[in-house]
Amino acid sequence: MGPSALAHVLRPLTQAVEHNHPDLLVGLASIDDAAVYRLNDEQAVVSTADFFPPVVDDPYAFGAIAAANAMSDVYAMGGEVLFALNLVAFPDTLEPEILSEILRGGSDKVAEAGGVIAGGHTVTDKEPKYGLAVTGVVHPQHILTKGHARIGDVLILTKPLGTGVITTAHKRDQVDDADLQAAIASMTRLNRDASRLLRVSEVHACTDISGFGLLGHAWEMSLQSEGGMRFEWAGLPWLPGARRCAEAGCVPGGTGRNEEFLNEHIRLADDLGEPERSLLFDPQTSGGLLAAIESAAWPTLRERFEEAGLPCWLIGEVTAGAGIEVV
């Protein structure tokens, strides 16, 4: 669902009185990536769910992408994955071997995360869909949330952008195979190691980039923080072929919904054309972590990412103004 429709649907639910549940540390009242429920002074459960239709043709790759995407919410909260349940919708007109490969891809990715598939649920549907309900664990005092970014923080991103336009181009047979494979490698890479590196830094806010795009998730972060956000267009990292796909008009349907919802909260530089605008609102699948950190912590964090062989980019800052700006 687009952000506007989702906000409308959830509005009645967010009126529930969460203070009657003191152990629900993060719930519907917060615009965050997962629910967090405290078990005791040392442990809290992180719970999330995500599923969607295929974004690539290869069943195994689709399963791995969907699993990495679902588990990303746990990592965005600073947690570790314990186990997951398969969520499956599958047509009775397709070969069951296809579903076996989807589930194998998901299972292998969960195992890579150190977790296990513990069960699941299937329904018959006209279109295949797959994802996970994920259970993780986090220390109650070390939860990463979208809120609390501070003016003067720098904004860092741990994966390049552009999966939406690339997978849309793939559906239209308009993408180079090398570019598609680069996107698949990015989407299947877990955010676990990036999350672990962030946890030992001065992180004030964190989220993962998914269907609302970079600007949508940045706006959610700024909404719960003390300032706005400014991004440098020239500093944004893109997957190989992303700009070419955008220029060819391979734009997902969610792009327009994201832009419509965010229009009044976003200020874009006048020299950004339509392809650039579409990339900024591009819905991502299994994107990276966006974090607001102390500016003084950036050099050390960058070194840690380099030593781990992981990408990380400084893409903006938290400002005293309101809303999101791209210059």
Side-chain angles (χ1 to χ4, degrees), residues 148-152 218-230 317-324:
H148 310 300
R150 302 175 185 175
I151 295 171
W219 178 76
E220 290 179 332
M221 186 184 288
S222 69
L223 192 65
Q224 301 174 85
S225 300
E226 65 178 27
M229 295 185 178
R230 179 186 296 119
E317 61 181 339
V318 180
T319 64
I324 307 297

Coordinates of all heavy atoms in Angstrom, one line a residue, residues 148-152 218-230 317-324:
H148 N 14.6 10.6 17.4 CA 15.8 11.1 18.2 C 17.0 11.5 17.4 O 18.0 11.7 17.9 CB 16.2 10.1 19.2 CG 15.1 9.6 20.1 ND1 14.3 10.4 20.9 CD2 14.6 8.3 20.2 CE1 13.4 9.7 21.5 NE2 13.5 8.4 21.1
A149 N 16.8 11.7 16.0 CA 17.9 12.3 15.3 C 18.1 13.7 15.8 O 17.1 14.4 16.1 CB 17.6 12.3 13.8
R150 N 19.3 14.2 15.9 CA 19.6 15.5 16.4 C 20.2 16.4 15.4 O 20.9 16.0 14.5 CB 20.6 15.3 17.6 CG 20.2 14.4 18.7 CD 21.3 14.2 19.7 NE 20.9 13.2 20.7 CZ 21.7 12.8 21.7 NH1 23.0 13.3 21.8 NH2 21.3 11.9 22.6
I151 N 19.9 17.7 15.5 CA 20.4 18.7 14.6 C 22.0 18.6 14.7 O 22.6 18.6 15.7 CB 19.9 20.1 15.0 CG1 18.4 20.2 14.8 CG2 20.6 21.2 14.2 CD1 17.8 21.5 15.4
G152 N 22.6 18.6 13.5 CA 24.0 18.5 13.4 C 24.5 17.0 13.1 O 25.6 16.8 12.7
A218 N 13.1 8.8 5.3 CA 13.7 10.0 5.9 C 12.7 10.9 6.5 O 12.9 11.4 7.6 CB 14.6 10.7 4.9
W219 N 11.6 11.1 5.8 CA 10.5 11.9 6.4 C 10.0 11.3 7.7 O 9.7 12.0 8.7 CB 9.4 12.2 5.4 CG 8.3 13.0 5.9 CD1 8.3 14.3 6.1 CD2 7.0 12.5 6.4 NE1 7.1 14.7 6.6 CE2 6.3 13.6 6.8 CE3 6.5 11.2 6.5 CZ2 5.0 13.5 7.3 CZ3 5.2 11.1 7.0 CH2 4.5 12.3 7.4
E220 N 9.8 10.0 7.7 CA 9.3 9.4 8.9 C 10.3 9.6 10.1 O 9.9 9.8 11.2 CB 9.1 7.9 8.7 CG 7.9 7.5 7.8 CD 7.8 6.0 7.6 OE1 8.9 5.3 7.6 OE2 6.7 5.5 7.3
M221 N 11.6 9.5 9.7 CA 12.6 9.8 10.8 C 12.6 11.2 11.3 O 12.6 11.5 12.5 CB 14.0 9.4 10.2 CG 15.1 9.5 11.2 SD 16.7 9.1 10.5 CE 16.6 7.4 10.1
S222 N 12.5 12.2 10.4 CA 12.5 13.6 10.8 C 11.2 13.9 11.5 O 11.3 14.8 12.4 CB 12.6 14.5 9.5 OG 11.5 14.5 8.7
L223 N 10.1 13.3 11.2 CA 8.8 13.6 11.9 C 8.9 13.3 13.4 O 8.2 14.0 14.2 CB 7.7 12.7 11.2 CG 6.3 13.1 11.6 CD1 5.9 14.4 11.0 CD2 5.4 12.0 11.0
Q224 N 9.8 12.3 13.8 CA 9.9 12.0 15.2 C 11.2 12.5 15.8 O 11.5 12.1 16.9 CB 9.8 10.4 15.3 CG 8.6 9.8 14.7 CD 8.6 8.3 14.7 OE1 8.3 7.7 15.7 NE2 9.0 7.8 13.6
S225 N 11.8 13.4 15.1 CA 13.1 13.9 15.6 C 13.0 15.4 15.8 O 11.9 16.0 15.6 CB 14.2 13.5 14.6 OG 14.4 12.1 14.5
E226 N 14.1 16.1 16.0 CA 14.1 17.5 16.4 C 14.4 18.4 15.2 O 14.4 19.6 15.3 CB 15.1 17.8 17.5 CG 16.6 17.6 17.1 CD 17.5 17.9 18.2 OE1 17.1 17.8 19.3 OE2 18.7 18.3 17.8
G227 N 14.6 17.9 14.0 CA 14.9 18.7 12.8 C 14.5 18.1 11.5 O 13.9 17.0 11.5
G228 N 14.8 18.8 10.5 CA 14.6 18.3 9.1 C 15.9 17.6 8.6 O 16.8 17.4 9.4
M229 N 15.9 17.3 7.3 CA 17.0 16.6 6.7 C 17.4 17.2 5.4 O 16.5 17.5 4.6 CB 16.7 15.1 6.6 CG 16.6 14.5 7.9 SD 16.3 12.7 7.8 CE 16.3 12.3 9.6
R230 N 18.7 17.3 5.1 CA 19.1 17.8 3.8 C 20.0 16.7 3.2 O 21.0 16.2 3.9 CB 19.9 19.1 4.0 CG 20.5 19.6 2.6 CD 21.4 20.8 2.8 NE 20.6 22.0 3.4 CZ 20.9 22.5 4.6 NH1 21.9 22.1 5.3 NH2 20.2 23.6 5.0
E317 N 22.6 15.5 6.2 CA 22.7 16.0 7.5 C 21.3 16.3 8.1 O 20.4 16.5 7.3 CB 23.6 17.2 7.6 CG 23.1 18.4 6.8 CD 24.0 19.6 6.9 OE1 24.8 19.6 7.9 OE2 24.0 20.4 6.0
V318 N 21.2 16.3 9.4 CA 20.0 16.8 10.1 C 20.1 18.3 10.3 O 21.1 18.8 10.9 CB 19.8 16.0 11.4 CG1 18.5 16.5 12.1 CG2 19.8 14.5 11.2
T319 N 19.1 19.0 9.9 CA 19.1 20.4 9.9 C 18.1 21.0 10.9 O 17.2 20.3 11.4 CB 18.8 21.0 8.5 OG1 17.5 20.6 8.1 CG2 19.8 20.4 7.5
A320 N 18.2 22.3 11.1 CA 17.3 23.0 12.0 C 15.9 23.2 11.4 O 15.0 23.5 12.1 CB 17.9 24.3 12.5
G321 N 15.8 23.2 10.1 CA 14.6 23.4 9.4 C 13.6 22.2 9.5 O 14.0 21.2 10.0
A322 N 12.5 22.3 8.9 CA 11.5 21.2 8.9 C 11.5 20.6 7.5 O 11.9 21.2 6.5 CB 10.1 21.8 9.2
G323 N 11.0 19.4 7.4 CA 10.9 18.7 6.2 C 12.2 18.1 5.6 O 13.2 18.1 6.2
I324 N 12.1 17.7 4.3 CA 13.3 17.1 3.7 C 13.7 18.0 2.5 O 12.8 18.4 1.7 CB 12.9 15.7 3.2 CG1 12.3 14.9 4.3 CG2 14.1 15.0 2.5 CD1 13.3 14.6 5.4

